[in-house]
Amino acid sequence: MNQKRDLLEMFKTVAARVDKRPFPNVTPASKISELGIDSLSVMQIVGELETELGIVIPDEDLVELTTVGDLCKKVEDRLAAGG
Amino acid sequence: MPRRVVVTGMGVVSPVGVDVPTFWESLLAGRSGVSYIREFPTDKLRSDIAASVSDFDVSRYMSPKEAEVYGRVTHFSLGAAVEAVLMAGLDKESGAARSRVGCLMSTGMGSVDIFEEQIARSNERGPRAVSPYFVPGVMPNGAAALISMRYGFMGPSYSLASACATGTHSIATSALLIEAGEADVMIAGGAEAATRMNTVAGFGNARALSKAFEGDPTRASRPFDKRRQGFVMGEGAGVLVLEEEEHAKRRGAKALAVVGGFGMTTDAEHLTRPHPEGLGLALALERAIQRAGIGPEAIDYINPHATSTPQGDLAEILAFRRVFGERLSQIPISATKSMIGHLLGGAGAAETIAVVCSLRDQVLHPSINVDELDPELGALDVVRDRRAAPVGWAAKCSAGFGGHNCALVLGKA
């Protein structure tokens, strides 16, 4: 299983925990704004990913994110950069 | 001629019932809601008892996500508000009518549970682990916002805080807003869910709390008894729907009681100790009676603050004697706290609901655990057993840390 797939699954797990409902149909192309997740919950999901993976995603990078794939890519970049 | 305010709805979450009929039935039966604390270890605390709410199902009122964001105090607030709104029939009103409904839903201490959890999270995992919902989750006005959103109430909404007088101040201030024409209807209440390790430690270290009395928690809350030791922490919420009388008539809502008057004063004397002669509370009560357009001789029943601390009870009785003179010994008094403990910010609101029930049913609930009335308090008619009594006007008094006093005078509808 490649890392991209892992991060997508991780996103779905964290989103389900934060929003108290499953996200079975999320794909990398899914737009974050269309997932029905409140903006504060999106921040909570990002925060949980950061804490679990020991990375920091700069705020200015967050505004560029449109899709779940964008977020996974950003997380991957930060992991590659060593946090 | 000021606009007259009536009560058209009530809702309660309490240690002796999570709806008004159960709450009132328990009070009339003299049932105590006090037991040993099971939620956290108490071996290092000065008190190990509380009056907890055991049968509240938050999933009836909000989604799992909302339930996690908001503290227990907000859960209780919404639960009590839903019952009150349904009783008043406000859910059936049009959107236009709802624009003149406000909500003053308050708490003395706020979401202590969320504070404890998020601070622990920050300490363990760093500030980045703190929930983005921390701030909206703990803000004391969260419940007022949630209730307003739930029903589309667009009148004034906020929360106020006056420690243990909070619930009573919410009712008095709501009546004032209606009198002043700022709203036609107000959802007015107070709530608390602060029985957490640190608050029990704080009140305990202040030597304000009672312990299990002779090994029995149900006997520990004993206002006006000679062997009282302090209060028992309680949790819950009380909500009343207050409404301008003509407005209630127009929409066919039944008036349960009249809010005759209210008085709000401050001891301006000490942060936590009541004025030793009850001066501030007496002034509040006098003001409430005057505002109701009656005299002290018209008061048929008193529901006191009744902290059950040695100083607090004595100061309160001195305040009553200042207002009623020797006639005090003939006015029935019963303390709701003897059964539900001290709901802090929720106390005044839940106790006012008991008063409205007395006015509606013409019956007084007992004050339990008065084995021997403290002789220092002088002659008093403390109701020991459920009693049928004609009640035209009743007084409800509250006093809080900070020296805040609030008194209400409520009348039969």
PDB file of all heavy atoms in Angstrom, chain B residues 67-87:
ATOM      1  N   ALA B  67     -22.656  17.460  20.916  1.00  0.00           N
ATOM      2  CA  ALA B  67     -22.526  17.024  22.313  1.00  0.00           C
ATOM      3  C   ALA B  67     -21.064  17.037  22.747  1.00  0.00           C
ATOM      4  O   ALA B  67     -20.759  17.308  23.909  1.00  0.00           O
ATOM      5  CB  ALA B  67     -23.122  15.627  22.487  1.00  0.00           C
ATOM      6  N   GLU B  68     -20.154  16.762  21.800  1.00  0.00           N
ATOM      7  CA  GLU B  68     -18.734  16.765  22.149  1.00  0.00           C
ATOM      8  C   GLU B  68     -18.200  18.195  22.277  1.00  0.00           C
ATOM      9  O   GLU B  68     -17.362  18.491  23.128  1.00  0.00           O
ATOM     10  CB  GLU B  68     -17.919  16.009  21.101  1.00  0.00           C
ATOM     11  CG  GLU B  68     -16.459  15.881  21.494  1.00  0.00           C
ATOM     12  CD  GLU B  68     -15.614  15.252  20.405  1.00  0.00           C
ATOM     13  OE1 GLU B  68     -15.408  15.895  19.358  1.00  0.00           O
ATOM     14  OE2 GLU B  68     -15.173  14.123  20.607  1.00  0.00           O
ATOM     15  N   VAL B  69     -18.676  19.078  21.398  1.00  0.00           N
ATOM     16  CA  VAL B  69     -18.194  20.470  21.385  1.00  0.00           C
ATOM     17  C   VAL B  69     -18.603  21.201  22.663  1.00  0.00           C
ATOM     18  O   VAL B  69     -17.799  21.899  23.282  1.00  0.00           O
ATOM     19  CB  VAL B  69     -18.747  21.216  20.155  1.00  0.00           C
ATOM     20  CG1 VAL B  69     -18.520  22.722  20.287  1.00  0.00           C
ATOM     21  CG2 VAL B  69     -18.106  20.688  18.880  1.00  0.00           C
ATOM     22  N   TYR B  70     -19.874  21.042  23.051  1.00  0.00           N
ATOM     23  CA  TYR B  70     -20.395  21.796  24.190  1.00  0.00           C
ATOM     24  C   TYR B  70     -20.241  21.015  25.491  1.00  0.00           C
ATOM     25  O   TYR B  70     -20.295  19.785  25.497  1.00  0.00           O
ATOM     26  CB  TYR B  70     -21.873  22.133  23.982  1.00  0.00           C
ATOM     27  CG  TYR B  70     -22.094  23.050  22.809  1.00  0.00           C
ATOM     28  CD1 TYR B  70     -22.616  22.582  21.606  1.00  0.00           C
ATOM     29  CD2 TYR B  70     -21.761  24.404  22.902  1.00  0.00           C
ATOM     30  CE1 TYR B  70     -22.807  23.428  20.530  1.00  0.00           C
ATOM     31  CE2 TYR B  70     -21.952  25.258  21.832  1.00  0.00           C
ATOM     32  CZ  TYR B  70     -22.471  24.767  20.646  1.00  0.00           C
ATOM     33  OH  TYR B  70     -22.649  25.600  19.592  1.00  0.00           O
ATOM     34  N   GLY B  71     -20.087  21.740  26.576  1.00  0.00           N
ATOM     35  CA  GLY B  71     -19.967  21.117  27.884  1.00  0.00           C
ATOM     36  C   GLY B  71     -21.321  20.644  28.403  1.00  0.00           C
ATOM     37  O   GLY B  71     -22.375  20.966  27.853  1.00  0.00           O
ATOM     38  N   ARG B  72     -21.237  19.894  29.486  1.00  0.00           N
ATOM     39  CA  ARG B  72     -22.441  19.325  30.102  1.00  0.00           C
ATOM     40  C   ARG B  72     -23.432  20.422  30.504  1.00  0.00           C
ATOM     41  O   ARG B  72     -24.639  20.237  30.432  1.00  0.00           O
ATOM     42  CB  ARG B  72     -21.971  18.516  31.321  1.00  0.00           C
ATOM     43  CG  ARG B  72     -23.004  17.677  32.015  1.00  0.00           C
ATOM     44  CD  ARG B  72     -22.261  16.736  32.976  1.00  0.00           C
ATOM     45  NE  ARG B  72     -23.117  16.110  33.958  1.00  0.00           N
ATOM     46  CZ  ARG B  72     -23.827  14.993  33.741  1.00  0.00           C
ATOM     47  NH1 ARG B  72     -23.789  14.408  32.570  1.00  0.00           N
ATOM     48  NH2 ARG B  72     -24.571  14.477  34.704  1.00  0.00           N
ATOM     49  N   VAL B  73     -22.917  21.581  30.902  1.00  0.00           N
ATOM     50  CA  VAL B  73     -23.798  22.676  31.317  1.00  0.00           C
ATOM     51  C   VAL B  73     -24.675  23.133  30.145  1.00  0.00           C
ATOM     52  O   VAL B  73     -25.854  23.468  30.316  1.00  0.00           O
ATOM     53  CB  VAL B  73     -22.976  23.845  31.914  1.00  0.00           C
ATOM     54  CG1 VAL B  73     -22.067  24.509  30.888  1.00  0.00           C
ATOM     55  CG2 VAL B  73     -23.884  24.889  32.544  1.00  0.00           C
ATOM     56  N   THR B  74     -24.117  23.099  28.949  1.00  0.00           N
ATOM     57  CA  THR B  74     -24.881  23.495  27.760  1.00  0.00           C
ATOM     58  C   THR B  74     -25.867  22.399  27.372  1.00  0.00           C
ATOM     59  O   THR B  74     -26.984  22.685  26.923  1.00  0.00           O
ATOM     60  CB  THR B  74     -23.915  23.826  26.613  1.00  0.00           C
ATOM     61  OG1 THR B  74     -22.988  24.809  27.077  1.00  0.00           O
ATOM     62  CG2 THR B  74     -24.644  24.375  25.400  1.00  0.00           C
ATOM     63  N   HIS B  75     -25.472  21.152  27.567  1.00  0.00           N
ATOM     64  CA  HIS B  75     -26.426  20.057  27.314  1.00  0.00           C
ATOM     65  C   HIS B  75     -27.682  20.246  28.170  1.00  0.00           C
ATOM     66  O   HIS B  75     -28.802  20.154  27.683  1.00  0.00           O
ATOM     67  CB  HIS B  75     -25.820  18.695  27.673  1.00  0.00           C
ATOM     68  CG  HIS B  75     -24.544  18.354  26.959  1.00  0.00           C
ATOM     69  ND1 HIS B  75     -23.806  17.246  27.282  1.00  0.00           N
ATOM     70  CD2 HIS B  75     -23.882  18.963  25.942  1.00  0.00           C
ATOM     71  CE1 HIS B  75     -22.743  17.181  26.494  1.00  0.00           C
ATOM     72  NE2 HIS B  75     -22.762  18.219  25.683  1.00  0.00           N
ATOM     73  N   PHE B  76     -27.447  20.489  29.455  1.00  0.00           N
ATOM     74  CA  PHE B  76     -28.577  20.669  30.386  1.00  0.00           C
ATOM     75  C   PHE B  76     -29.420  21.876  29.991  1.00  0.00           C
ATOM     76  O   PHE B  76     -30.651  21.846  30.056  1.00  0.00           O
ATOM     77  CB  PHE B  76     -28.066  20.869  31.815  1.00  0.00           C
ATOM     78  CG  PHE B  76     -27.449  19.650  32.452  1.00  0.00           C
ATOM     79  CD1 PHE B  76     -26.681  19.776  33.603  1.00  0.00           C
ATOM     80  CD2 PHE B  76     -27.645  18.375  31.928  1.00  0.00           C
ATOM     81  CE1 PHE B  76     -26.115  18.663  34.222  1.00  0.00           C
ATOM     82  CE2 PHE B  76     -27.082  17.245  32.536  1.00  0.00           C
ATOM     83  CZ  PHE B  76     -26.308  17.404  33.681  1.00  0.00           C
ATOM     84  N   SER B  77     -28.735  22.957  29.608  1.00  0.00           N
ATOM     85  CA  SER B  77     -29.448  24.186  29.237  1.00  0.00           C
ATOM     86  C   SER B  77     -30.410  23.923  28.091  1.00  0.00           C
ATOM     87  O   SER B  77     -31.574  24.333  28.131  1.00  0.00           O
ATOM     88  CB  SER B  77     -28.456  25.276  28.804  1.00  0.00           C
ATOM     89  OG  SER B  77     -27.586  25.598  29.867  1.00  0.00           O
ATOM     90  N   LEU B  78     -29.914  23.241  27.072  1.00  0.00           N
ATOM     91  CA  LEU B  78     -30.767  22.984  25.909  1.00  0.00           C
ATOM     92  C   LEU B  78     -31.911  22.046  26.290  1.00  0.00           C
ATOM     93  O   LEU B  78     -33.064  22.274  25.906  1.00  0.00           O
ATOM     94  CB  LEU B  78     -29.935  22.403  24.758  1.00  0.00           C
ATOM     95  CG  LEU B  78     -30.705  22.222  23.447  1.00  0.00           C
ATOM     96  CD1 LEU B  78     -31.205  23.558  22.905  1.00  0.00           C
ATOM     97  CD2 LEU B  78     -29.844  21.535  22.385  1.00  0.00           C
ATOM     98  N   GLY B  79     -31.602  21.019  27.079  1.00  0.00           N
ATOM     99  CA  GLY B  79     -32.641  20.082  27.488  1.00  0.00           C
ATOM    100  C   GLY B  79     -33.783  20.786  28.225  1.00  0.00           C
ATOM    101  O   GLY B  79     -34.960  20.579  27.912  1.00  0.00           O
ATOM    102  N   ALA B  80     -33.433  21.640  29.168  1.00  0.00           N
ATOM    103  CA  ALA B  80     -34.452  22.352  29.944  1.00  0.00           C
ATOM    104  C   ALA B  80     -35.203  23.349  29.049  1.00  0.00           C
ATOM    105  O   ALA B  80     -36.423  23.519  29.170  1.00  0.00           O
ATOM    106  CB  ALA B  80     -33.806  23.076  31.123  1.00  0.00           C
ATOM    107  N   ALA B  81     -34.477  23.993  28.141  1.00  0.00           N
ATOM    108  CA  ALA B  81     -35.112  24.985  27.261  1.00  0.00           C
ATOM    109  C   ALA B  81     -36.123  24.325  26.325  1.00  0.00           C
ATOM    110  O   ALA B  81     -37.204  24.868  26.076  1.00  0.00           O
ATOM    111  CB  ALA B  81     -34.045  25.735  26.452  1.00  0.00           C
ATOM    112  N   VAL B  82     -35.780  23.146  25.812  1.00  0.00           N
ATOM    113  CA  VAL B  82     -36.705  22.453  24.895  1.00  0.00           C
ATOM    114  C   VAL B  82     -38.026  22.154  25.617  1.00  0.00           C
ATOM    115  O   VAL B  82     -39.113  22.402  25.086  1.00  0.00           O
ATOM    116  CB  VAL B  82     -36.055  21.155  24.343  1.00  0.00           C
ATOM    117  CG1 VAL B  82     -37.097  20.267  23.666  1.00  0.00           C
ATOM    118  CG2 VAL B  82     -34.935  21.492  23.359  1.00  0.00           C
ATOM    119  N   GLU B  83     -37.933  21.676  26.865  1.00  0.00           N
ATOM    120  CA  GLU B  83     -39.160  21.390  27.623  1.00  0.00           C
ATOM    121  C   GLU B  83     -39.978  22.669  27.835  1.00  0.00           C
ATOM    122  O   GLU B  83     -41.196  22.676  27.663  1.00  0.00           O
ATOM    123  CB  GLU B  83     -38.815  20.757  28.989  1.00  0.00           C
ATOM    124  CG  GLU B  83     -40.060  20.299  29.744  1.00  0.00           C
ATOM    125  CD  GLU B  83     -39.785  19.835  31.176  1.00  0.00           C
ATOM    126  OE1 GLU B  83     -38.669  20.036  31.695  1.00  0.00           O
ATOM    127  OE2 GLU B  83     -40.721  19.277  31.789  1.00  0.00           O
ATOM    128  N   ALA B  84     -39.288  23.761  28.185  1.00  0.00           N
ATOM    129  CA  ALA B  84     -39.986  25.030  28.455  1.00  0.00           C
ATOM    130  C   ALA B  84     -40.650  25.587  27.199  1.00  0.00           C
ATOM    131  O   ALA B  84     -41.796  26.062  27.243  1.00  0.00           O
ATOM    132  CB  ALA B  84     -38.992  26.038  29.034  1.00  0.00           C
ATOM    133  N   VAL B  85     -39.941  25.528  26.083  1.00  0.00           N
ATOM    134  CA  VAL B  85     -40.471  26.050  24.814  1.00  0.00           C
ATOM    135  C   VAL B  85     -41.705  25.253  24.388  1.00  0.00           C
ATOM    136  O   VAL B  85     -42.711  25.814  23.956  1.00  0.00           O
ATOM    137  CB  VAL B  85     -39.364  26.008  23.713  1.00  0.00           C
ATOM    138  CG1 VAL B  85     -39.958  26.190  22.331  1.00  0.00           C
ATOM    139  CG2 VAL B  85     -38.308  27.078  23.988  1.00  0.00           C
ATOM    140  N   LEU B  86     -41.639  23.926  24.553  1.00  0.00           N
ATOM    141  CA  LEU B  86     -42.787  23.084  24.177  1.00  0.00           C
ATOM    142  C   LEU B  86     -43.975  23.369  25.086  1.00  0.00           C
ATOM    143  O   LEU B  86     -45.112  23.483  24.629  1.00  0.00           O
ATOM    144  CB  LEU B  86     -42.414  21.599  24.260  1.00  0.00           C
ATOM    145  CG  LEU B  86     -41.426  21.094  23.207  1.00  0.00           C
ATOM    146  CD1 LEU B  86     -41.101  19.626  23.433  1.00  0.00           C
ATOM    147  CD2 LEU B  86     -41.974  21.293  21.792  1.00  0.00           C
ATOM    148  N   MET B  87     -43.713  23.524  26.407  1.00  0.00           N
ATOM    149  CA  MET B  87     -44.815  23.800  27.333  1.00  0.00           C
ATOM    150  C   MET B  87     -45.500  25.121  26.984  1.00  0.00           C
ATOM    151  O   MET B  87     -46.725  25.239  27.035  1.00  0.00           O
ATOM    152  CB  MET B  87     -44.302  23.840  28.780  1.00  0.00           C
ATOM    153  CG  MET B  87     -45.440  23.842  29.802  1.00  0.00           C
ATOM    154  SD  MET B  87     -44.879  24.062  31.521  1.00  0.00           S
ATOM    155  CE  MET B  87     -44.017  22.544  31.833  1.00  0.00           C
TER     156      MET B  87
END
